Amino acid sequence: SRGLGDVYKRQLERVLQGLSLKHRIIYFTYLAYKPDKDKNIPRSVSNKLQEQLELTQASIRVYRKEATDLVNNYINKVNGNK
């Protein structure tokens, strides 16, 4: 039988699938580099995101915040927080 963790994992995958491709690319790129909240990903990576996704750095910040908020809201909901 599958554990509760599998259920949450599948639900989180559905949350992530609800994001646009650009949101997912940006979210996982930042997740991979795991910069602290006040730190930035490497400039070369940031430039590549801007070039490949045809977005400004300001737009990338908005996409990142939208994706992060969605995931955090899901996690908080699962944990019973508001």
Side-chain angles (χ1 to χ4, degrees), residues 26-73:
I26 292 165
Y27 179 77
F28 285 114
T29 299
Y30 274 86
L31 195 62
Y33 284 92
K34 290 191 169 129
D36 294 329
K37 195 163 182 70
D38 58 344
K39 302 280 189 226
N40 297 315
I41 60 175
R43 172 118 354 171
S44 61
V45 175
S46 174
N47 289 343
K48 192 76 168 172
L49 280 175
Q50 291 177 59
E51 178 185 315
Q52 294 292 315
L53 301 178
E54 298 179 343
L55 294 171
T56 64
Q57 185 56 46
S59 293
I60 288 174
R61 278 193 295 274
V62 171
Y63 275 68
R64 179 187 180 201
K65 181 173 180 354
E66 290 172 347
T68 302
D69 287 351
L70 190 69
V71 171
N72 288 342
N73 288 341

